[in-house]
């Protein structure tokens, strides 16, 4: 029994949906189908979710939404056109979209969630009808009926663990169940969406709930690349990767699969495979708890930009009890999150997302640290990128750190910060943003050439 999820690019047009139909037909174990809202048809196109955001903005501004609703509706009409979709389905979709004009705004914390969820909900109804038109026993099922009940946190819902057993009651359904991704229901009956990668989260939740043997996530690439294709020409596709490696890469900028979406599958020990709707015969990338092939020490190189680093030095810092705690309390008082805190005997660096800071806040923060901590040196560096070398195999091979630093030195790339966890799964470098691409390329060719 498999759970299969299709992203927006896989469902953007009738031609893409035809590929989806063939993929589902090809394997009778694919019993649970999770769908996103239709994505972009061309690079210049607007995906349905963005049109729904425009609906939200228009409602807030008390502007008419009829034209936007018509554009959204026509997307579903175009997808349905080649198939014998029941007329009632398109009528229901139009009615659901039209009703967005009547949603209450005041005292409604789920206003945006309800609007955004419409894209997936309408598409699930449509895809179920398409599958029936192709002769398959399929039906749409609402997340509430399925048992996806979540915490009441708008745009950041979390699955309530006890309801996995409710989902499991559907495990032996004789019909193919088509499920809208991205949202669940609170126990009070309100629609509440997940955070980034929401439809991926739904797929993982369903996989855990029905105790699937495999969670197949179909997108528009052959799998997870060992480096960003925009930085490295034709990078290798990773054939197998562990959950821990995937989380490290996803955190550092890999956008194929958001790391939070892995957790339900990880906790249930269900393998995940990333595959290509446009090339379904490609084996893709398998994400599992333990990797069998550790010959290559590194599986991927990733990077993310938009970081700042606060560096402070103080002689005999290590002898001051509670030194780091005092700094973290200052961060708490300023409502700031930090990403990493590499340290030495007399110095410490704090890496944080730059978008948390304004010029005024930065000045006040540094003044507070200077007053409370009285460091010998205090400075802040902006425009940093974090470049991460990831691989479970590094802990079994001596010299990965030396090879990495040598690769950067050959390109005269100055390292602002180095951090390696005790697990030895990743090595992180803080470098100036303008050298990010050079760093990625040289590290990639060091480990993959």
């Amino acid at each position: 029994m498999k759970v299969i999820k299709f992203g927006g690019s896989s469902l953007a047009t009738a031609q893409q949906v035809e590929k989806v139909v063939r993929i589902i037909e090809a394997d009778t174990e694919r019993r649970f189908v999770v769908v996103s809202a239709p994505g972009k048809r061309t690079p210049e196109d607007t995906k349905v979710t963005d049109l729904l955001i425009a609906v939200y903005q228009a409602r807030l501004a008390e502007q008419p939404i009829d034209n936007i609703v018509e554009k959204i509706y026509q997307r579903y009409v175009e997808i349905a056109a080649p198939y014998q979709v029941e007329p009632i389905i398109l009528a229901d979709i139009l009615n659901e979209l039209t009703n967005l004009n009547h949603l209450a705004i005041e005292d409604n914390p789920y206003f945006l969630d309800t609007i955004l969820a419409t894209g997936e909900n309408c598409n699930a109804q449509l895809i179920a009808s398409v599958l029936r038109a192709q002769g398959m026993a399929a039906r749409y099922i609402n997340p509430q009926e399925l048992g996806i009940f979540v915490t009441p946190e708008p745009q950041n819902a979390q699955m309530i663990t006890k309801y996995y057993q409710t989902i499991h009651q559907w495990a032996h359904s004789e019909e193919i169940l088509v499920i809208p991704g991205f949202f669940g229901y609170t126990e009070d009956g309100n629609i509440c969406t997940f955070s980034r990668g929401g439809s991926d989260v739904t797929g993982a939740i369903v996989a855990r709930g029905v105790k699937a043997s495999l969670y197949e996530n179909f997108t528009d690439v052959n799998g997870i690349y060992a480096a960003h294709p925009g930085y490295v020409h034709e990078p290798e596709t990773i054939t197998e990767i562990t959950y821990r490696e995937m989380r490290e890469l996803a955190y550092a900028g890999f956008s194929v699969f958001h790391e939070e979406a892995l957790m339900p599958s990880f906790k249930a020990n269900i393998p995940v495979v990333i595959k290509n709707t446009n090339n379904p015969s490609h084996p893709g990338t398998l994400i599992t708890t333990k990797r069998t092939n550790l010959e290559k020490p590194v599986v991927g190189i990733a990077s993310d930009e938009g970081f700042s680093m606060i560096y402070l030095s103080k002689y005999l810092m290590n002898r001051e009890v509670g030194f780091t705690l005092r700094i973290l309390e200052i961060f708490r008082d300023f409502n700031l999150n930090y990403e990493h805190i590499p340290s030495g005997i007399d110095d410490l660096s704090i890496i944080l997302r730059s978008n948390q800071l304004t010029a005024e806040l930065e000045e006040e923060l540094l003044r507070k640290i200077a007053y409370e901590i009285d460091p010998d040196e205090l400075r802040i560096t902006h425009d940093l990128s974090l470049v991460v070398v990831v691989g479970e195999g590094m802990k079994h091979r001596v010299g990965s750190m030396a090879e990495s630093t040598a690769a950067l030195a050959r390109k005269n790339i100055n390292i602002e910060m180095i951090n390696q966890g005790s697990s030895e799964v990743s090595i992180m470098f803080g470098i100036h943003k303008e050298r990010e691409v050079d760093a990625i390329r040289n590290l990639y060719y060091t480990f993959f050439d």
Side-chain angles (χ1 to χ4, degrees), residues 221-234:
V221 293
N222 283 335
I224 301 167
Y225 295 113
H228 194 299
Y231 299 160
V232 175
H233 180 63
E234 295 184 355

Side-chain angles (χ1 to χ4, degrees), residues 37-38 46-54 116 119-120 182:
T46 304
K47 57 185 180 181
V48 165
T49 299
D50 287 339
L51 290 171
L52 287 165
I53 291 173
L116 293 181
E120 276 75 10
F182 189 41

Side-chain angles (χ1 to χ4, degrees), residues 246-258:
M246 186 63 230
R247 177 162 166 74
E248 295 277 355
L249 289 171
Y251 165 78
F254 273 38
S255 59
V256 172
F257 210 119
H258 190 248

Side-chain angles (χ1 to χ4, degrees), residues 413-431:
I413 297 171
N414 187 49
I415 300 171
E416 296 290 332
M417 179 276 295
I418 300 177
N419 192 23
Q420 182 175 29
S422 58
S423 65
E424 298 184 55
V425 174
S426 66
I427 304 171
M428 180 177 294
F429 299 99
I431 62 171

Side-chain angles (χ1 to χ4, degrees), residues 69-346:
V69 165
E70 180 61 23
K71 284 183 182 179
I72 298 171
Y73 175 63
Q74 286 303 320
R75 290 294 305 274
Y76 295 107
V77 170
E78 290 172 12
I79 293 170
Y83 307 100
Q84 299 297 316
V85 170
E86 302 103 313
I88 188 64
I89 298 298
L90 288 174
D92 287 345
I93 288 173
L94 180 58
N95 185 59
E96 188 168 341
L97 291 168
T98 303
N99 283 340
L100 296 178
N101 213 14
H102 307 297
L103 281 179
I105 300 177
E106 298 296 328
D107 300 320
N108 182 5
Y110 305 100
F111 177 61
L112 175 58
D113 298 62
T114 305
I115 290 176
L116 293 181
T118 308
E120 276 75 10
N121 200 49
C122 290
N123 212 28
Q125 296 172 63
L126 179 61
I127 298 304
S129 181
V130 168
L131 295 179
R132 288 194 297 272
Q134 297 297 296
M136 285 181 264
R139 82 171 181 94
Y140 156 83
I141 184 168
N142 184 275
Q144 189 174 36
E145 183 183 3
L146 186 69
I148 301 180
F149 288 95
V150 299
T151 56
E153 302 171 79
Q155 295 108 64
N156 192 36
Q158 306 292 319
M159 179 68 185
I160 299 173
T161 305
K162 67 180 181 180
Y163 288 106
Y164 279 112
Q165 61 189 15
T166 304
I167 298 174
H168 190 257
Q169 295 174 7
W170 296 92
H172 303 292
S173 170
E174 295 183 0
E175 298 173 297
I176 295 172
L177 299 183
V178 183
I179 306 149
F182 189 41
F183 72 98
Y185 281 79
T186 68
E187 292 177 306
D188 292 334
N190 294 300
I191 288 175
C192 195
T193 59
F194 300 112
S195 60
R196 293 165 53 196
S199 291
D200 292 334
V201 174
T202 299
I205 287 171
V206 175
R208 178 177 173 181
V210 300
K211 299 181 180 178
S213 58
L214 183 67
Y215 170 25
E216 297 178 299
N217 192 295
F218 276 78
T219 179
D220 56 2
V221 293
N222 283 335
I224 301 167
Y225 295 113
H228 194 299
Y231 299 160
V232 175
H233 180 63
E234 295 184 355
E236 291 184 16
T237 301
I238 301 170
T239 56
E240 188 179 18
I241 188 171
T242 66
Y243 280 106
R244 185 159 56 171
E245 289 169 329
M246 186 63 230
R247 177 162 166 74
E248 295 277 355
L249 289 171
Y251 165 78
F254 273 38
S255 59
V256 172
F257 210 119
H258 190 248
E259 73 269 21
E260 290 179 14
L262 291 170
M263 293 314 296
S265 299
F266 169 70
K267 289 180 178 178
N269 198 25
I270 296 170
V272 178
V273 63
I274 310 295
K275 293 178 71 70
N276 191 348
T277 304
N278 303 312
N279 187 17
S281 61
H282 192 283
T285 298
L286 180 67
I287 308 172
T288 185
T289 52
K290 187 175 289 187
R291 185 155 57 91
T292 55
N293 181 10
L294 293 174
E295 290 181 8
K296 284 191 175 182
V298 173
V299 296
I301 317 288
S303 66
D304 198 9
E305 59 187 43
F307 293 91
S308 296
M309 180 180 72
I310 296 174
Y311 170 84
L312 61 90
S313 175
K314 188 173 184 180
Y315 183 59
L316 299 180
M317 177 185 79
N318 62 313
R319 295 189 183 180
E320 291 191 30
V321 176
F323 184 87
T324 304
L325 175 61
R326 287 160 57 200
I327 295 172
L328 294 181
E329 285 175 339
I330 293 172
F331 267 63
R332 180 199 60 198
D333 294 342
F334 280 81
N335 197 30
L336 294 172
N337 294 319
Y338 72 91
E339 301 291 323
H340 307 279
I341 308 185
S343 64
I345 297 175
D346 294 324

